[in-house]
Amino acid sequence: MGLLLHEGGLSDAATVRLIRALAEIGQLAGWMAFDSADHGLAQRYFVTALRAAHQVNDRALCAHILADMSFQAASRSHPADAIALGEAARRASEGGTASVRASVLSRLSYGYAAAGRSTDFERTSALARELIEDRTGSEEEPRWMYFLTPNHLECQAGYSLISLGRAELERGDRARGRRFVRQGQDLLETGAYAVEKGDPSQRRALFEGAWLALGYSASGDLERSCEVGETAAARLSTVRSPRSTAVLNQLATELRRKQRNAYVRDFLPDLEERISEQSSLRSARTATVGS
């Protein structure tokens, strides 16, 4: 596609369509690389996609890509970058459809959660929910906005709240921390974590299940944490998602400190074995690519 654009000779309309397609494919490739924890490659794809979207003045797609970059930064514990990118995405989304703006705000709210800015998180998350709930259905949505549902937004808020709650617990504010964690658990319980293995939402189920198990571990319900964690870890046999495996790794780290609990002693060896298998597979693939 890039070669076709470089060679030129296309009509103006065909060139615009090709550049827009390049932007959409670049965004998807960036997200796949991010999910695979290949963060440098993800950033290169995202930046290329952003330039292409900007070239054809597709502000909605620019906002979508910036929001993905914000989410990546927050996931890598760079909250300042996450907020800066999220705010840029919000500005780019102005005038866009309700779904585009809601999606962007949900990413920005995750950045606020990563920064511990609970008031900004709650305000932004609530606005995203209002936008998605008040959609009239009369707007023509971009084709890449197929995934967004009210429950998807609720679950994004769920793992953001668990992140906020764990940070508050670490700072010693147990009442506030437990409240955030409990709210996050309630939201994630409505999500995809328990879908059957044949359901197409396996990647989402793995990620949300890992966060839900981490929430129950933080709140001290170790039986439920191990139960949900076992369901999530079992998905590693069919889903390759280092992004989700990293959350399960956090769970394993926490559970190692709680091995006096019978449920933890029973579950932890299996969790560690599955994580180790994923690490070995990733190392083998990296070695194969590099050879």
Side-chain angles (χ1 to χ4, degrees), residues 226-237:
C226 292
E227 179 184 357
V228 174
E230 185 175 7
T231 300
R235 299 187 196 278
L236 292 175
S237 62

Side-chain angles (χ1 to χ4, degrees), residues 15 29 38 56 60 69 76 83 98 105 109 117 128 133 177 183 187 203-204 208 217 233 235 238 250 268 279:
T15 298
D38 196 338
V56 294
M69 295 172 73
R76 300 190 67 201
I83 292 170
L105 288 172
S109 68
R117 291 169 55 173
E133 289 175 349
Q183 290 173 346
L187 291 175
R203 194 170 301 273
R204 178 186 167 188
E208 291 178 9
S217 174
R235 299 187 196 278
T238 55
Q250 291 182 61
L268 184 58
S279 178

Side-chain angles (χ1 to χ4, degrees), residues 35-37 197 203 206 232-249 269-287:
D35 190 61
S36 298
K197 282 196 172 182
R203 194 170 301 273
L206 171 56
R235 299 187 196 278
L236 292 175
S237 62
T238 55
V239 180
R240 302 287 182 266
S241 174
R243 176 173 66 106
S244 301
T245 305
V247 183
L248 287 174
N249 213 359
D270 179 63
L271 175 61
E272 292 180 321
E273 181 179 356
R274 290 180 182 274
I275 291 173
S276 178
E277 288 173 355
Q278 289 296 302
S279 178
S280 297
L281 286 170
R282 178 172 169 77
S283 297
R285 285 197 296 271
T286 302

Side-chain angles (χ1 to χ4, degrees), residues 93-159:
S93 72
E94 292 175 357
T97 67
S99 293
V100 170
R101 286 182 289 149
S103 178
V104 165
L105 288 172
S106 73
R107 298 301 199 206
L108 175 57
S109 68
Y110 187 67
Y112 285 139
R117 291 169 55 173
S118 58
T119 301
D120 289 325
F121 160 77
E122 291 173 332
R123 171 181 52 80
T124 307
S125 182
L127 181 55
R129 185 167 57 252
E130 289 173 12
L131 283 167
I132 204 72
E133 289 175 349
D134 293 343
R135 286 182 300 182
T136 62
S138 61
E139 296 178 310
E140 182 178 356
E141 299 290 353
R143 59 187 175 185
W144 38 261
M145 194 44 67
Y146 63 89
F147 66 91
L148 195 69
T149 65
N151 184 252
H152 190 89
L153 283 184
E154 293 291 298
C155 289
Q156 287 187 355
Y159 51 75

Side-chain angles (χ1 to χ4, degrees), residues 165 168-182 218-220:
E168 292 293 341
L169 288 169
E170 289 178 5
R171 283 193 286 267
D173 191 338
R174 300 193 63 78
R176 186 177 173 85
R178 286 182 179 275
R179 176 169 61 84
F180 284 143
V181 169
R182 184 169 59 253
S219 65

